[in-house]
Amino acid sequence: MSSQPFVQSSPFPTTSGSYRRKSKFTFKHLSQLSHYSTTCPLRVIAHIDLDAFYAQCEMVRLGVPEDQPLAVQQWQGLIAINYPARKFGLNRHITNTEAHKLCPELILQHVATWKEGDEKWAYHEDAAKHIATHKVSLDPYRRESKKIFAIIKDCLPAAPLQRVEKASIDEVFIDLSAQIHSVLLDRYPELQGPPPYDDPTEYLPRPSITALNWDTDALVDLDASETEDDDPDWDDIAMLIGSEIVRSARAKIREELKYTCSGGVARNKMLAKLGSGHKKPNQQTVIRNRAVQHFLGDLKFTKIRNLGGKLGDEVVSMFNTDTIKELLEQPLEQLKRLGDDTGSWLYETIRGEDHSEVNPRTQIKSMLSAKSFRPFVNTFEQAVRWLRIFVADIFSRCVEEGVLENKRRPKTINLHHRQGSQTRSKQSPIPQGKAFTEEMLFDLAKNLLAQVVVDGRAWPCANLSLSVGGFEDGVADNKGIGGFLVRGEEAKAMLTSGRHASDAQTEMKGLQPSEKRRKVESGGIQRFFIPREGSRDDVEQSHDPFRREEDRDYSELGSNSDSPEAIDAAHSDEAGRLTLLKRPSTPENHDVEADIPPDFLPPSAQPQSLSQRINHFQQQSLDTYFCSRCSTHLPLTDQAEHQDWHFAKDLEKDLQAQERSNFDTPTPRHTPGLPQKSQSRGRGRPVGSSSTVKGREKGQQQLAFGKQ
Ligand code: TTP
Ligand code: CA
Ligand code: CA
């Protein structure tokens, strides 16, 4: 590694020969730079990634000295470790207890959580003990992320000279091409003129400069065929300007928010990202075009975006290596054993070629709130409580997106439910003609859950996630705009006095998982990213979205690479994260391993050992109970599930009826958790009338969980 700038090779370098007077780049290349052409050889992309991001957020929030070791804890595991703590050997794969042993002075800060029944997330002292009743909130980090993103944008000129892509909660790509083009013309007037003979294929004059000052940058050593004695060409100068811009943005983030970050500057996204991770913390690495092969030669290809996961594994096993150097020996035809497109993509990638665009879209496409359950959730009531939290979480993020002002509004709501190896997804449209309220979302969510329960085998549930998607700009797309606006305002008034007024959430860019995979720019690798499309009502056995998220966390987030999938995971919250952590050895955990779901046994009768349980189970299953609603005898062990089934059926009908009659009127306020019409109803209603709710004993009891 050299930190040496170009050295002045000769006092009169530009007069010694004609080759010296001409650049290897043409006027056309220069002009391509101003258009963000992805094939422009002068292109400059930057990647900025915050150092130990969540840990820094906590350090700044708590006012902790910079040399104090600190790690961020989620349940029993660590998800972010600051650099002072890394010196003690701490990493993401150890538990908090192990961490304390390695570094006794460590500050462990648990992430903020939503506590069941609370109106807002908070930092709870003993959160780690409450995995069963709390849900992680990443809001504090989203907020900081948003501030950082704003500073970066502020440091850059206005569009069209600005093109920034938020790639995850703590990183951005910047296409600096157009900005650099304008700086080049400014600083080097010789580039301004029209090309000789008006021929854009004419070569540019050679830069008059012979030495570049790379300041504090880490410069990657040149390829073997290159020497620092060669005078810089325009691509080197473009990189230098890019590096200056990144340095000033990083300084501004540091100055205004106290955060350090690392930067990478190179000719494309892939290299820029590898660059920012090359030297951490608080440094930036420039990979000049003349240094690309040298830089890549030493790397493992599994560090490259999209090669951290399954595709990477497949390549490793097919070619028996994980180094770029060895893979470079494989001819294209060999790589095409992975598929034509994938092979070609890989061939280019390991040669440092990546023509993907910096995608400035920062609009949120979807929001997801999820939880993995340890112990599992076993009743409708419990699940609905989680839905309440998910809805509060999503709704507050929607408010931040401007749903109440009708700026943007999601069109669909999805529920994913996992039981054993089976995942089910239910989706419904979000009615566009009426006010967007938390209660409306909650009702829709419950309805979806009810549909899952109706299908049967809903419990024990290992994972639930709720998402809203299909965000659209309200004004452009909403035809009933007039009426809606009034209601939107009403809803806002209703809410400003309530829970969400002070609970501003920060934005996370998000795409539907399927969109994410489709977004992978290099056409050929889709088969590794595109999920099998499911119908609206999917029972997915082999394709399991939760499983995928978990894979992702292990293979990609952990390797400091944020593939589009990793971005998903970044806001999938516990859905993915939990499995990264070692499972806590709490008593509840034994339930996870038990092959008999706990809800088969009444809590008071829960025996201790597995054999006792089995005995108990066998004994119980001999008993039956009589369901008065369908006049059937059923095994006692199925009672809970069966009653849930009735309850869910009722709820479904009830909500449908409500939907039909209320479609044009704003949703009235009613007790959360209970469909409005059913609140006044008593027991023992006759069976069979479609829009009424009958035999609600269990349901009423289940849903009477007070303040949500
Ligand atoms: P990263 O950028 O991967 O890591 P980092 O910022 O903690 O450290 P580095 O200096 O190496 O960049 O992830 C950003 C944040 O995302 C991280 O602070 C915490 C969160 N995260 C998880 O919650 N789980 C994970 O497995 C990973 C990789 C990150
Ligand atoms: Ca980071
Ligand atoms: Ca990152």
Side-chain angles (χ1 to χ4, degrees):
M1 179 67 42
S2 151
S3 56
Q4 278 294 305
F6 289 106
V7 289
Q8 185 128 3
S9 54
S10 142
F12 311 108
T14 54
T15 54
S16 55
S18 64
Y19 72 97
R20 284 212 170 278
R21 286 197 302 274
K22 293 285 185 194
S23 159
K24 61 174 179 286
F25 303 103
T26 64
F27 280 86
K28 183 170 172 222
H29 294 148
L30 185 65
S31 143
Q32 283 179 331
L33 193 63
S34 65
H35 299 118
Y36 297 105
S37 157
T38 59
T39 51
C40 172
L42 292 165
R43 195 174 186 227
V44 180
I45 307 293
H47 182 257
I48 296 179
D49 181 282
L50 273 287
D51 302 320
F53 182 48
Y54 293 4
Q56 279 203 83
C57 291
E58 295 302 341
M59 288 167 75
V60 169
R61 184 179 69 85
L62 301 167
V64 169
E66 297 209 335
D67 55 355
Q68 164 69 46
L70 178 145
V72 178
Q73 182 183 353
Q74 183 174 297
W75 315 130
Q76 313 300 317
L78 310 184
I79 54 171
I81 295 136
N82 75 0
Y83 282 80
R86 290 189 201 188
K87 289 195 185 131
F88 291 82
L90 270 58
N91 61 56
R92 283 204 182 92
H93 305 286
I94 64 175
T95 63
N96 56 343
T97 327
E98 287 159 351
H100 264 309
K101 268 189 215 143
L102 288 168
C103 176
E105 72 255 45
L106 179 73
I107 294 181
L108 263 182
Q109 174 61 49
H110 198 281
V111 296
T113 53
W114 291 86
K115 183 177 160 202
E116 191 189 313
D118 276 5
E119 298 190 340
K120 190 184 179 319
W121 54 263
Y123 282 94
H124 293 279
E125 279 261 310
D126 50 354
K129 294 189 195 132
H130 298 295
I131 188 167
T133 50
H134 286 213
K135 174 176 157 37
V136 164
S137 171
L138 300 181
D139 278 16
Y141 312 130
R142 286 197 201 106
R143 262 180 206 181
E144 294 310 292
S145 172
K146 197 171 187 178
K147 288 190 212 159
I148 294 164
F149 194 55
I151 289 181
I152 292 174
K153 295 191 85 164
D154 248 28
C155 294
L156 301 171
L161 296 187
Q162 179 184 117
R163 190 174 277 195
V164 189
E165 172 182 331
K166 191 166 189 214
S168 83
I169 196 163
D170 81 329
E171 62 198 79
V172 295
F173 286 105
I174 314 170
D175 191 331
L176 293 167
S177 301
Q179 184 180 355
I180 288 173
H181 177 263
S182 89
V183 175
L184 279 174
L185 295 197
D186 231 40
R187 284 194 199 166
Y188 304 95
E190 65 263 39
L191 297 177
Q192 284 173 8
Y197 325 109
D198 267 340
D199 179 359
T201 61
E202 278 287 321
Y203 290 95
L204 294 166
R206 187 92 191 181
S208 45
I209 201 162
T210 55
L212 300 179
N213 176 10
W214 293 96
D215 205 342
T216 53
D217 299 344
L219 264 191
V220 172
D221 274 351
L222 295 179
D223 297 345
S225 59
E226 301 277 345
T227 137
E228 295 287 3
D229 293 343
D230 293 338
D231 288 339
D233 204 336
W234 294 112
D235 59 340
D236 301 306
I237 292 174
M239 291 284 167
L240 182 76
I241 297 169
S243 188
E244 286 167 15
I245 299 167
V246 170
R247 197 178 308 112
S248 70
R250 289 177 47 236
K252 195 103 177 133
I253 295 168
R254 179 75 165 147
E255 185 186 310
E256 295 196 7
L257 300 172
K258 301 199 185 126
Y259 298 126
T260 67
C261 53
S262 301
V265 180
R267 68 178 176 219
N268 59 42
K269 287 169 87 173
M270 175 199 43
L271 291 168
K273 164 119 184 145
L274 289 169
S276 73
H278 186 59
K279 288 214 154 183
K280 271 183 159 268
N282 203 15
Q283 295 188 64
Q284 63 183 57
T285 298
V286 181
I287 306 163
R288 291 167 290 174
N289 295 341
R290 304 193 275 159
V292 169
Q293 284 313 321
H294 176 86
F295 179 70
L296 287 177
D298 293 337
L299 275 187
K300 291 189 188 317
F301 57 76
T302 44
K303 288 209 159 181
I304 295 178
R305 242 158 59 102
N306 300 329
L307 283 167
K310 287 194 185 102
L311 174 57
D313 293 345
E314 194 167 333
V315 179
V316 172
S317 68
M318 194 175 280
F319 299 102
N320 215 6
T321 176
D322 62 355
T323 70
I324 292 183
K325 210 176 244 145
E326 288 181 16
L327 203 59
L328 279 170
E329 293 162 12
Q330 298 292 338
L332 181 59
E333 303 75 67
Q334 279 302 312
L335 298 184
K336 283 190 171 175
R337 283 164 56 205
L338 294 153
D340 273 7
D341 291 346
T342 308
S344 306
W345 173 81
L346 185 61
Y347 186 85
E348 297 273 294
T349 298
I350 57 177
R351 284 163 178 78
E353 298 300 335
D354 167 21
H355 298 300
S356 60
E357 272 184 342
V358 169
N359 183 347
R361 183 173 56 182
T362 54
Q363 297 281 56
I364 292 171
K365 281 279 172 184
S366 72
M367 291 171 185
L368 180 112
S369 194
K371 173 90 183 167
S372 292
F373 304 117
R374 307 288 187 274
F376 297 150
V377 157
N378 284 299
T379 65
F380 193 84
E381 175 196 1
Q382 261 184 309
V384 166
R385 283 190 207 150
W386 285 109
L387 289 186
R388 174 49 98 185
I389 291 179
F390 296 165
V391 165
D393 179 20
I394 287 176
F395 187 75
S396 64
R397 283 150 70 186
C398 286
V399 168
E400 177 115 328
E401 268 296 285
V403 279
L404 299 182
E405 295 85 18
N406 193 35
K407 279 200 204 121
R408 307 191 72 228
R409 182 179 165 125
K411 282 205 314 208
T412 54
I413 180 166
N414 288 272
L415 182 83
H416 288 280
H417 170 283
R418 187 168 91 194
Q419 197 262 4
S421 60
Q422 191 179 69
T423 298
R424 273 175 281 182
S425 309
K426 299 281 179 185
Q427 186 186 67
S428 76
I430 297 172
Q432 297 296 297
K434 61 184 194 181
F436 186 88
T437 65
E438 191 171 341
E439 287 311 312
M440 171 225 243
L441 274 188
F442 188 42
D443 284 344
L444 290 168
K446 275 186 299 184
N447 195 2
L448 296 178
L449 180 65
Q451 291 175 30
V452 172
V453 175
V454 167
D455 289 349
R457 293 198 56 77
W459 322 116
C461 168
N463 198 318
L464 261 187
S465 83
L466 189 71
S467 62
V468 293
F471 273 87
E472 282 191 352
D473 292 345
V475 176
D477 296 309
N478 195 320
K479 296 198 181 73
I481 184 78
F484 177 77
L485 275 175
V486 176
R487 291 188 201 130
E489 284 305 310
E490 275 170 17
K492 192 179 181 185
M494 233 151 67
L495 280 152
T496 30
S497 55
R499 54 193 293 175
H500 292 291
S502 59
D503 187 8
Q505 306 282 311
T506 47
E507 146 222 329
M508 270 293 293
K509 180 174 127 183
L511 301 173
Q512 299 278 25
S514 56
E515 268 179 77
K516 282 267 157 135
R517 283 164 198 87
R518 236 173 272 128
K519 205 179 122 234
V520 172
E521 290 99 338
S522 310
I525 48 175
Q526 270 99 337
R527 78 180 168 95
F528 290 94
F529 303 103
I530 297 180
R532 212 185 59 209
E533 293 299 330
S535 66
R536 271 167 51 97
D537 177 355
D538 256 349
V539 176
E540 298 169 295
Q541 298 274 10
S542 55
H543 170 64
D544 177 346
F546 296 114
R547 181 78 46 75
R548 256 198 344 259
E549 304 237 341
E550 292 161 5
D551 292 347
R552 226 174 276 158
D553 262 12
Y554 266 108
S555 58
E556 299 186 7
L557 278 179
S559 65
N560 193 29
S561 77
D562 280 288
S563 69
E565 296 176 299
I567 305 166
D568 259 351
H571 47 147
S572 71
D573 193 344
E574 287 145 294
R577 295 282 144 66
L578 269 175
T579 49
L580 185 77
L581 312 174
K582 286 192 182 154
R583 211 181 261 165
S585 52
T586 55
E588 296 98 319
N589 259 332
H590 300 305
D591 283 342
V592 179
E593 261 93 46
D595 24 15
I596 300 164
D599 70 337
F600 279 26
L601 309 172
S604 57
Q606 278 200 11
Q608 294 306 302
S609 74
L610 190 61
S611 58
Q612 277 173 305
R613 282 183 180 201
I614 291 167
N615 285 340
H616 193 95
F617 173 65
Q618 285 167 344
Q619 185 191 328
Q620 291 255 325
S621 58
L622 299 176
D623 300 328
T624 57
Y625 94 104
F626 179 70
C627 171
S628 57
R629 297 197 52 196
C630 49
S631 305
T632 328
H633 286 277
L634 292 148
L636 193 59
T637 47
D638 288 355
Q639 181 172 6
E641 186 131 353
H642 184 76
Q643 286 177 343
D644 273 342
W645 184 85
H646 276 300
F647 171 72
K649 265 284 187 219
D650 293 340
L651 184 62
E652 192 184 8
K653 279 188 209 149
D654 202 43
L655 288 169
Q656 277 163 2
Q658 191 180 328
E659 190 58 33
R660 277 196 296 278
S661 62
N662 285 357
F663 192 79
D664 286 327
T665 51
T667 318
R669 306 287 277 174
H670 60 88
T671 308
L674 193 60
Q676 191 210 358
K677 281 185 189 168
S678 63
Q679 285 186 42
S680 57
R681 269 186 215 120
R683 307 172 162 208
R685 289 295 199 109
V687 176
S689 62
S690 67
S691 65
T692 52
V693 180
K694 299 90 33 186
R696 181 59 64 69
E697 292 90 339
K698 180 179 168 67
Q700 280 171 341
Q701 193 190 16
Q702 279 185 323
L703 290 181
F705 41 79
K707 186 175 159 223
Q708 291 294 312

